[in-house]
Amino acid sequence: MKFLLLVLCIMLCLSGCSHFFFGSREKDKDEKIMQERTSLQDLTLSKDEIVRFHKATSPNYQQIISNNRAILPPYPLGLSSDFNKHWPLIQADLDYLISTEVKNYINPQADAQKYLNLMLSLIDEKNEYQAIVLESKKEVPYFIGKYIFISRQEIEGCQDEGDLLKILVYRLIRNNLLNNQIDFSQIKNNITLELISTINQEVSKSWEKYATSDLYFPNLEIRIQTALIMNRAAFKPENDEPGNQTSDLTLDSKDQANLMFITPLQRHKKVFD
């Protein structure tokens, strides 16, 4: 009898140890998977880096944009409180969903990524988004969330930084609208990759319909927002591009005459090795 009890105790101990060992391995495996699923790295710019870049953009850049922003309407973009409240619920899964599509195309040059985000700092006045350079000749994808994508080919095809900024402005407007269109009530407690993918597809269709509502030119609201953001950054849209003119802002002649603009540089030509 004592022998049987001893055997039983040994078996229970072994079972407990096995469960602990393999349970720990499963836990480690799950943690490793989660780490792998957040492969998109955030890039943080210091205040000094931004200030230096702005001064390099124009020696009096801060004074110029202060002048323009005192004349122009307020910055038109911003994430809703609903988005900011629920964003942490989907961020990890969304980052994984995005990374599965773009991680093999992310440009490896840290200087290029930093440069693009310094350019973004000229127009993203609330510092809510991050730009990522891709090495792809295909059409650049877009998603809900805080990442804006642009290809190296698109950057190199720009005549100057004014052209580059217009691309970034358009994509900034697009992401902002996408994010504020998300119906978070669909998520509740059942967050899955499939659901997030479905939400992304739904709001993307909404954007396509909205952006092309004008038969010949981009949607009027997009044109106005583009002109406003560009002007607040002291970049003047080209006059030969319909819908991107300062006149879209319906400023009176005095205010329009008092706006100040810089000459766009060509720093993007030296970014890539």
Side-chain angles (χ1 to χ4, degrees), residues 208-265:
E208 294 296 340
K209 184 177 180 180
Y210 167 78
T212 57
S213 59
D214 191 311
L215 184 60
Y216 299 105
F217 305 119
N219 175 287
L220 176 60
E221 187 175 7
I222 296 174
R223 301 199 314 253
I224 292 173
Q225 289 181 342
T226 300
L228 175 55
I229 294 170
M230 291 286 287
N231 287 181
R232 284 177 64 88
F235 284 78
K236 189 173 183 179
E238 295 297 329
N239 290 328
D240 60 351
E241 292 188 11
N244 276 339
Q245 301 176 34
T246 306
S247 57
D248 277 331
L249 299 177
T250 62
L251 296 174
D252 61 41
S253 57
K254 179 181 177 182
D255 283 342
Q256 191 162 330
N258 287 332
L259 289 176
M260 302 170 67
F261 300 100
I262 67 167
T263 300
L265 303 178

Side-chain angles (χ1 to χ4, degrees), residues 50-84:
I50 293 174
V51 169
R52 287 197 302 269
F53 186 80
H54 287 193
K55 285 184 177 179
T57 301
S58 176
N60 299 317
Y61 187 73
Q62 195 58 49
Q63 292 89 331
I64 293 172
I65 63 172
S66 294
N67 171 79
N68 288 8
R69 292 174 187 182
I71 297 171
L72 293 161
Y75 181 66
L77 306 182
L79 295 171
S80 68
S81 58
D82 196 43
F83 178 88
N84 286 321

Side-chain angles (χ1 to χ4, degrees), residues 17-254:
C17 290
S18 175
H19 177 75
F20 175 79
F21 176 71
F22 289 107
S24 297
R25 289 185 62 180
E26 287 298 318
K27 182 180 178 182
D28 292 342
K29 182 180 178 182
D30 290 342
E31 289 179 351
K32 182 179 180 182
I33 290 174
M34 287 305 296
Q35 289 173 359
E36 291 175 348
R37 290 178 63 165
T38 55
S39 57
L40 287 173
Q41 296 183 350
D42 287 335
L43 188 153
T44 303
L45 300 172
S46 71
K47 186 176 180 179
D48 286 344
E49 286 176 317
I50 293 174
V51 169
R52 287 197 302 269
F53 186 80
H54 287 193
K55 285 184 177 179
T57 301
S58 176
N60 299 317
Y61 187 73
Q62 195 58 49
Q63 292 89 331
I64 293 172
I65 63 172
S66 294
N67 171 79
N68 288 8
R69 292 174 187 182
I71 297 171
L72 293 161
Y75 181 66
L77 306 182
L79 295 171
S80 68
S81 58
D82 196 43
F83 178 88
N84 286 321
K85 178 181 177 181
H86 295 97
W87 167 249
L89 296 175
I90 67 171
Q91 182 175 3
D93 286 327
L94 178 60
D95 281 1
Y96 171 69
L97 191 68
I98 295 173
S99 69
T100 56
E101 184 160 344
V102 304
K103 66 181 180 181
N104 294 329
Y105 303 100
I106 295 177
N107 183 282
Q109 298 178 64
D111 286 347
Q113 301 294 350
K114 179 173 285 190
Y115 164 76
L116 188 62
N117 281 277
L118 286 167
M119 284 297 297
L120 185 64
S121 75
L122 301 179
I123 56 172
D124 181 14
E125 296 182 24
K126 295 187 176 181
N127 192 31
E128 293 178 314
Y129 292 91
Q130 177 178 332
I132 296 179
V133 183
L134 299 182
E135 286 285 345
S136 176
K137 294 183 179 180
K138 299 179 181 179
E139 184 176 353
V140 176
Y142 62 92
F143 308 86
I144 55 176
K146 298 186 177 183
Y147 296 107
I148 294 172
F149 299 97
I150 185 170
S151 71
R152 172 175 176 168
Q153 188 174 27
E154 287 178 301
I155 296 172
E156 291 180 331
C158 292
Q159 181 177 345
D160 56 38
E161 289 183 338
D163 288 344
L164 173 55
L165 211 60
K166 277 182 279 187
I167 296 174
L168 291 177
V169 167
Y170 183 83
R171 291 177 188 178
L172 186 63
I173 293 171
R174 179 171 63 190
N175 265 61
N176 197 77
L177 184 136
L178 289 176
N179 291 333
N180 290 330
Q181 287 281 320
I182 300 173
D183 180 7
F184 284 99
S185 65
Q186 298 180 63
I187 296 175
K188 298 180 181 178
N189 296 321
N190 185 28
I191 303 172
T192 64
L193 290 174
E194 183 178 2
L195 176 59
I196 293 174
S197 178
T198 299
I199 292 172
N200 186 73
Q201 291 172 8
E202 288 176 354
V203 296
S204 295
K205 288 179 182 178
S206 175
W207 162 262
E208 294 296 340
K209 184 177 180 180
Y210 167 78
T212 57
S213 59
D214 191 311
L215 184 60
Y216 299 105
F217 305 119
N219 175 287
L220 176 60
E221 187 175 7
I222 296 174
R223 301 199 314 253
I224 292 173
Q225 289 181 342
T226 300
L228 175 55
I229 294 170
M230 291 286 287
N231 287 181
R232 284 177 64 88
F235 284 78
K236 189 173 183 179
E238 295 297 329
N239 290 328
D240 60 351
E241 292 188 11
N244 276 339
Q245 301 176 34
T246 306
S247 57
D248 277 331
L249 299 177
T250 62
L251 296 174
D252 61 41
S253 57
K254 179 181 177 182

